[in-house]
Amino acid sequence: MNTDTTTPREFQANWKGRFFTIWGGQALSLVGSALVQFALVWWLTVETGSATVLATASLVALLPQIFLAPFAGALVDRWQRRRVMIVADFSIALATLLLMVLFALGVAAVWHIYVLLFVRSLGGAFHHPAMTASTSLMVPKEHLTRVAGMNQTLQGVISMGAPPLGALLIELWPTQYILAIDIVTALIAILPLFFIAIPQPLPQTAPGGGAEKPPSYWQDLAAGFRYVIRWPGLLGIILLAMMLNFLLSPASALIPLVVTQVFQKGAMELGWFETLFGAGIILAGVVLSAWGGFKRRIVTSFAGVIGIGLAIILMGVVPANMFYLLLVAGFLQGVMIVFANGPLHAIFQSAIAPEMQGRVFSLIGAGATAMMPIGLMIAGPVADWLGVQAWFIIGGSICILTTLAAFFIPAIMNIEQNQAAPTSDNPAG
């Protein structure tokens, strides 16, 4: 392994070739993971036909992201992030290899898949903050929004392409061959990390200028919480993002009911909705990659959130004889999600101190993920009581009103000016 170190300045002086080599490997790995996810869900569906089994599988995949991610983030900031990514990818590949052997021997069971889903989620709890935090050190700040747009485009391509490709492979190959794809793509993602040094945050210095005594793990963990709580602008955006996830995640889950109950349509029409949603993500990702958004990235992000709210409301008021408007709303939502998320990720990467990013990104991810089951638990009874489209009108309206209110909160609107992000003992407003 290449153990040479490099500084952010040295890496960014000639960053494109090295960064996109790493990024390309990670992109292939995401494709392999999506194919495996589809294949395993399909296997559980065919073998058990149990909604409880599928719900349990989803819960198993969520738990590490909610409860373990904050603890993983503190470790990501203490360890060399490149090695974290290698170990996480390799662990997932090894677990997939073991499951592939079980399928080849014909002894795979439901609980084996639960274990793999848990391991994959645990690996992601380490890998995602490590890669996201490393990106802010590899990519010049003025290009972070464009890279975020590329990531959104990639997600759109995967969301559109993985299900049909996975369905085709299921018809052609046994499950163990599909699992092998994920192993190969994971190894491709790991390979560049052995030869390309990723910048690490600079070590903190004591007030007298000497090296600061390394804090304990628990001190690091507490510092991450203090860092967020003491920075009003950052805390405000995180709370806003959590609330929006609480409102909007159930809307995605309720779309099949809207298609079937309100419009009396079937799987084909639902497929069209998902396709146009993915097409919106891809188109907007390309646009954001080329354009970069408004000069103030927070304005681009909030404009995107308001656009999401409008799209959600449109889904809630479309009459039953105008299904094409639901398709338009799905496409609009896909577009606006990119403009909301891409600049926001770039803001986090540029404004948060590099040595704190693993912890902060893990806290953000855990909070956002935790909102999903909570939102679903509340949205279900509301939809049964007021009608399935009611949640769309309520959620979209609150989404817009809350975002408009955020425009009048200086701590949130000026977060991009806080480039010298606060330390745990020196917060900025």
Side-chain angles (χ1 to χ4, degrees):
M1 179 187 292
N2 179 6
T3 57
D4 295 338
T5 59
T6 183
T7 66
R9 184 184 296 273
E10 291 169 343
F11 192 101
Q12 293 175 17
N14 185 24
W15 66 278
K16 291 183 179 179
R18 287 177 286 180
F19 172 75
F20 285 113
T21 299
I22 295 172
W23 186 88
Q26 298 298 319
L28 280 176
S29 182
L30 288 175
V31 172
S33 297
L35 292 176
V36 164
Q37 192 80 7
F38 183 87
L40 293 180
V41 170
W42 182 255
W43 187 87
L44 290 173
T45 302
V46 172
E47 291 296 319
T48 70
S50 169
T52 301
V53 167
L54 292 178
T56 303
S58 299
L59 183 62
V60 166
L62 284 175
L63 288 178
Q65 301 293 327
I66 297 174
F67 295 106
L68 301 180
F71 299 95
L75 294 173
V76 167
D77 284 334
R78 294 172 67 88
W79 295 340
Q80 189 181 98
R81 290 168 180 171
R82 178 178 60 165
R83 292 181 178 174
V84 171
M85 293 163 63
I86 291 173
V87 172
D89 276 339
F90 184 79
S91 300
I92 293 172
L94 181 60
T96 306
L97 175 62
L98 294 176
L99 185 62
M100 184 185 77
V101 172
L102 294 176
F103 269 103
L105 296 175
V107 295
V110 170
W111 73 268
H112 295 142
I113 294 179
Y114 288 165
V115 171
L116 177 64
L117 292 175
F118 184 88
V119 171
R120 294 178 70 87
S121 182
L122 181 60
F126 283 90
H127 185 281
H128 178 70
M131 180 62 187
T132 306
S134 297
T135 299
S136 64
L137 297 176
M138 293 187 286
V139 178
K141 290 185 178 181
E142 63 269 21
H143 295 295
L144 284 172
T145 303
R146 291 184 171 89
V147 170
M150 292 178 56
N151 289 330
Q152 295 289 312
T153 301
L154 175 63
Q155 292 298 327
V157 171
I158 290 174
S159 67
M160 284 186 64
L165 179 57
L168 175 63
L169 293 177
I170 287 171
E171 292 296 324
L172 297 176
W173 292 348
T175 303
Q176 59 265 29
Y177 288 3
I178 302 175
L179 295 174
I181 294 176
D182 189 40
I183 297 171
V184 172
T185 55
L187 295 177
I188 292 173
I190 292 171
L191 186 61
L193 298 174
F194 280 96
F195 302 101
I196 300 176
I198 293 178
Q200 285 288 112
L202 296 176
Q204 298 183 18
T205 57
E212 190 175 82
K213 181 182 178 181
S216 69
Y217 167 79
W218 297 108
Q219 288 174 322
D220 271 348
L221 185 64
F225 283 96
R226 289 198 302 270
Y227 183 90
V228 171
I229 293 172
R230 294 182 181 180
W231 188 353
L234 179 61
L235 179 60
I237 289 181
I238 292 175
L239 292 176
L240 178 63
M242 290 174 63
M243 190 195 69
L244 295 178
N245 209 38
F246 166 80
L247 293 170
L248 301 179
S249 292
S252 299
L254 293 172
I255 278 294
L257 291 179
V258 173
V259 172
T260 56
Q261 294 183 6
V262 177
F263 294 94
Q264 302 297 310
K265 303 293 183 180
M268 180 65 70
E269 288 79 8
L270 178 61
W272 275 110
F273 179 90
E274 298 290 349
T275 298
L276 286 172
F277 174 78
I281 292 177
I282 294 171
L283 175 63
V286 172
V287 171
L288 187 62
S289 300
W291 170 39
F294 296 117
K295 185 176 181 180
R296 295 186 67 187
R297 286 177 287 206
I298 193 69
V299 174
T300 309
S301 182
F302 281 0
V305 175
I306 291 173
I308 294 173
L310 292 172
I312 295 296
I313 291 175
L314 180 58
M315 294 178 194
V317 299
V318 173
N321 61 343
M322 301 179 72
F323 179 72
Y324 68 91
L325 282 182
L326 185 72
L327 299 180
V328 171
F331 178 81
L332 178 62
Q333 184 187 10
V335 169
M336 292 302 170
I337 280 177
V338 173
F339 290 128
N341 289 338
L344 192 60
H345 291 163
I347 290 171
F348 288 152
Q349 289 173 321
S350 62
I352 297 169
E355 68 274 11
M356 301 296 296
Q357 288 191 8
R359 280 163 281 185
V360 174
F361 289 139
S362 294
L363 288 172
I364 295 170
T369 304
M371 291 298 101
M372 296 171 62
I374 296 174
L376 288 169
M377 285 189 294
I378 296 176
V382 170
D384 289 337
W385 176 37
L386 299 176
V388 69
Q389 285 182 293
W391 185 265
F392 291 80
I393 300 173
I394 296 170
S397 299
I398 297 176
C399 175
I400 293 173
L401 293 174
T402 305
T403 306
L404 289 175
F407 273 104
F408 297 95
I409 302 176
I412 292 178
M413 294 305 297
N414 296 327
I415 190 171
E416 293 177 84
Q417 280 66 56
N418 297 330
Q419 292 300 311
T423 65
S424 59
D425 297 316
N426 184 28

